[in-house]
Amino acid sequence: KINLDLSDGDRLGIIGHNGAGKSTMLRILSGAFYPSEGNVKIQGKVNSLIDISLGIDPELSGIQNVYLRLLVLGEKYSNIKKYINDIVVFSDLGNFMNLPVRTYSTGMLMRLLFSISMVLSSDILIMDEWLSVGDSQFKGKVESKLNEMVDNCKVFVIASHDEGLIRKLCNRVLWLEHGEIKMLDSPDNVFDSLNVNK
């Protein structure tokens, strides 16, 4: 059983071994899953960077997939046109945006997917591990944009095995074991307890 309250300014890192329930927790917080018991109350707009390939059709062009993906994310069709230029510029895909996505390399596809996800503002940002996308130059752009998104959201939640990343980004840590809370505290207190128990 999990009782958790998050409010403005919370930066929550979720840790635990594989199978502890981290990804399930993220999907419940993002609205993709419903809890089998109890309830979840979410106030604010959620941007989930968990399943960034959701709503992509390989036969459609990059531009068409921008529309498709943003519609899946709940954006109104009439609003999508205003995002196109930012996505094209950020992804640096140029004329490839008019080609079917099936012709893209994995790196190009990841550029497109991240560029779509980054245009949406959100109150709550949810991630399953820190995204690392594309070549070194593009990774720098992604890193900068992700940090900006974290700074601008009200609540940030990330699941990660990277202690250094969680210490850097988060002010609270939720340690899960077998779908239950083992500990919820500051990064220092949680990681001190975790390291003692190793």
Side-chain angles (χ1 to χ4, degrees):
K1 191 171 187 176
I2 292 177
N3 289 313
L4 177 66
D5 286 314
L6 296 174
S7 53
D8 287 6
D10 278 338
R11 302 291 183 259
L12 179 71
I14 303 178
I15 64 169
H17 58 76
N18 291 335
K22 300 185 302 296
S23 293
T24 300
M25 178 84 157
L26 293 178
R27 282 170 170 76
I28 288 171
L29 292 174
S30 68
F33 288 0
Y34 292 100
S36 53
E37 292 179 28
N39 57 66
V40 176
K41 185 176 181 183
I42 297 170
Q43 294 178 304
K45 187 175 179 184
V46 177
N47 187 0
S48 170
L49 299 183
I50 302 171
D51 299 314
I52 65 170
S53 61
L54 185 69
I56 294 296
D57 185 333
E59 296 304 317
L60 298 180
S61 71
I63 295 289
Q64 290 169 318
N65 271 295
V66 170
Y67 277 88
L68 186 59
R69 171 76 176 141
L70 289 177
L71 286 170
V72 166
L73 292 173
E75 198 62 36
K76 290 180 181 171
Y77 186 87
S78 57
N79 288 343
I80 295 175
K81 190 173 184 181
K82 71 182 180 185
Y83 298 123
I84 298 291
N85 188 60
D86 286 345
I87 290 169
V88 172
V89 169
F90 193 89
S91 69
D92 202 23
L93 289 171
N95 290 331
F96 284 102
M97 291 295 289
N98 299 309
L99 295 178
V101 165
R102 64 177 161 74
T103 65
Y104 289 18
S105 67
T106 302
M108 290 166 67
L109 179 59
M110 290 305 292
R111 281 176 177 235
L112 174 65
L113 296 174
F114 179 77
S115 299
I116 294 169
S117 296
M118 67 92 190
V119 296
L120 297 178
S121 61
S122 59
D123 301 307
I124 303 162
L125 180 63
I126 298 175
M127 294 180 64
D128 194 354
E129 292 294 349
W130 193 249
L131 288 176
S132 183
V133 179
D135 58 37
S136 57
Q137 184 177 352
F138 192 70
K139 278 180 184 172
K141 281 171 69 173
V142 169
E143 189 87 11
S144 175
K145 186 62 185 179
L146 284 172
N147 281 310
E148 180 187 319
M149 291 167 76
V150 171
D151 289 343
N152 290 335
C153 69
K154 293 179 179 175
V155 174
F156 173 62
V157 181
I158 184 169
S160 179
H161 294 285
D162 185 336
E163 179 179 334
L165 179 72
I166 288 190
R167 283 183 180 275
K168 176 182 150 191
L169 294 174
C170 302
N171 56 18
R172 299 174 74 192
V173 176
L174 173 65
W175 175 7
L176 286 179
E177 276 194 7
H178 309 297
E180 296 191 349
I181 295 177
K182 175 86 174 177
M183 190 173 181
L184 175 61
D185 208 329
S186 68
D188 283 346
N189 288 344
V190 172
F191 285 115
D192 284 351
S193 296
L194 183 65
N195 292 328
V196 164
N197 290 333
K198 279 184 179 174

